[in-house]
Amino acid sequence: MLLTCCVSSIADLLVAKPGRDPKLALDDMPTYVKNELGLHGVNLTTDLLAGAGRQRIERLRERADKAGCACLLLIEQEALPFGAEDPDKAQAAGDRGRRVLQAASLLGCNAAAVSIDAPFANNAATDEETTDRVVDHVRMVLERADKLEINLLVSPRPGLTEDPQRVTDLLKKIGGFRVGTLPDFKSASEAEDPAAYMRRLTPYASVVLATTYEFEEPSEDEQEAGDKPGSLEDLADMLMAAEPAKHSTYDLEPLLEAIGSVGFDGTLAIDYRGGGDGTLGSLQSRDAIEAALEALAE
């Protein structure tokens, strides 16, 4: 799996403070992700591009390619009302979806992600009408995706796309090989069976969001204890053998095992949403995920 970074994880570096410039310019972000975080691609949310014109977006792509840390995914933050009864709202959702795809293309991404604002009434007739509207408007967006050769990923959210079975049924109705899913660990952790949730959605995914929150350092008993280091080499060996910080919000290993069980070998996007320093949180996320993957491989 290719470990990448959701730039929102380190957004604290990109925000200007009163009287101070941001610590990190957006154009320098790919190099930072590659060199400081040891990750191999970036995933952006549309808010980071607010006010950016074509030249600025293309410059970011060039910097990312030069750093060997390409832009892979653009995520629309606002849920789009593809299922709205008001045709103007549904049309506006389609227009926004096409603009997101265009920006993703300029960035060099191979995918863009949207979430669908559509209610689920648990009423067969009503829900069928909503689903039909969603299908019609998403298909029109997919026409642009086909021309740009970009995948459109659906990020599950409350409502029609909350249940993974409904998501997969929706994708089958939409049809086409350029529509897929963007499952995330947070949504899975809230499901009755998190592993089953991931196994259902991951076969349709080219990217999985490895959402993380809080970490706790292992106790001394959990560390691989030994004699005090007698040399710098001994110290380095001890640090390498130390257990990584543990993700305390939910267990990452069953979720990673679930996506591996269905043969997923795509992009695993680290999306740290916890408090404190985003760089530290991203590093802890990377280390915890790598340790879990190594344990599963044994």
Side-chain angles (χ1 to χ4, degrees), residues 217-257:
E217 295 293 339
S219 65
E220 291 185 5
D221 292 338
E222 294 174 310
Q223 298 283 3
E224 294 186 14
D227 295 332
K228 291 183 178 180
S231 66
L232 287 176
E233 290 77 8
D234 291 340
L235 177 59
D237 289 342
M238 287 180 63
L239 292 174
M240 290 292 291
E243 291 288 334
K246 181 180 179 181
H247 187 247
S248 56
T249 310
Y250 43 79
D251 193 355
L252 296 175
E253 190 165 314
L255 302 175
L256 291 167
E257 183 177 24

Side-chain angles (χ1 to χ4, degrees), residues 85-98:
E85 293 185 45
D86 183 339
D88 291 338
K89 288 184 177 180
Q91 180 63 43
D95 291 342
R96 176 61 179 176
R98 285 182 281 272

Side-chain angles (χ1 to χ4, degrees), residues 51-253:
R54 184 187 185 99
Q55 288 185 338
R56 176 74 189 282
I57 293 173
E58 290 179 338
R59 185 168 70 245
L60 174 57
R61 174 182 179 170
E62 291 171 1
R63 294 289 297 274
D65 290 344
K66 185 177 180 179
C69 191
C71 301
L72 301 175
L73 173 68
L74 180 62
I75 303 170
E76 167 60 35
Q77 288 184 300
E78 298 296 326
L80 302 180
F82 289 110
E85 293 185 45
D86 183 339
D88 291 338
K89 288 184 177 180
Q91 180 63 43
D95 291 342
R96 176 61 179 176
R98 285 182 281 272
R99 288 196 296 273
V100 172
L101 285 168
Q102 187 65 46
S105 178
L106 291 175
L107 284 168
C109 298
N110 54 34
V114 298
S115 56
I116 297 172
D117 181 10
F120 181 71
N122 203 22
N123 177 283
T126 301
D127 292 329
E128 184 176 1
E129 291 176 359
T130 300
T131 299
D132 288 344
R133 288 193 295 269
V134 170
V135 168
D136 289 343
H137 287 284
V138 172
R139 279 178 178 169
M140 288 189 282
V141 175
L142 277 177
E143 292 177 6
R144 178 66 61 84
D146 285 334
K147 292 178 181 178
L148 296 172
E149 298 183 347
I150 291 179
N151 296 325
L152 180 68
L153 308 182
V154 175
S155 180
R157 72 180 304 276
L160 181 67
T161 60
E162 184 171 6
D163 178 78
Q165 182 63 55
R166 293 201 299 269
V167 174
T168 57
D169 288 345
L170 178 65
L171 296 188
K172 291 173 183 177
K173 289 182 179 180
I174 293 170
F177 67 92
R178 288 208 175 274
V179 64
T181 61
L182 181 65
D184 71 271
F185 286 179
K186 176 181 182 295
S187 296
S189 72
E190 295 169 348
E192 183 176 347
D193 186 338
Y197 181 100
M198 294 304 299
R199 286 195 297 269
R200 171 66 68 177
L201 291 180
T202 302
Y204 301 87
S206 56
V207 182
V208 170
L209 294 184
T211 324
T212 56
Y213 287 87
E214 302 301 329
F215 288 85
E216 59 183 23
E217 295 293 339
S219 65
E220 291 185 5
D221 292 338
E222 294 174 310
Q223 298 283 3
E224 294 186 14
D227 295 332
K228 291 183 178 180
S231 66
L232 287 176
E233 290 77 8
D234 291 340
L235 177 59
D237 289 342
M238 287 180 63
L239 292 174
M240 290 292 291
E243 291 288 334
K246 181 180 179 181
H247 187 247
S248 56
T249 310
Y250 43 79
D251 193 355
L252 296 175
E253 190 165 314

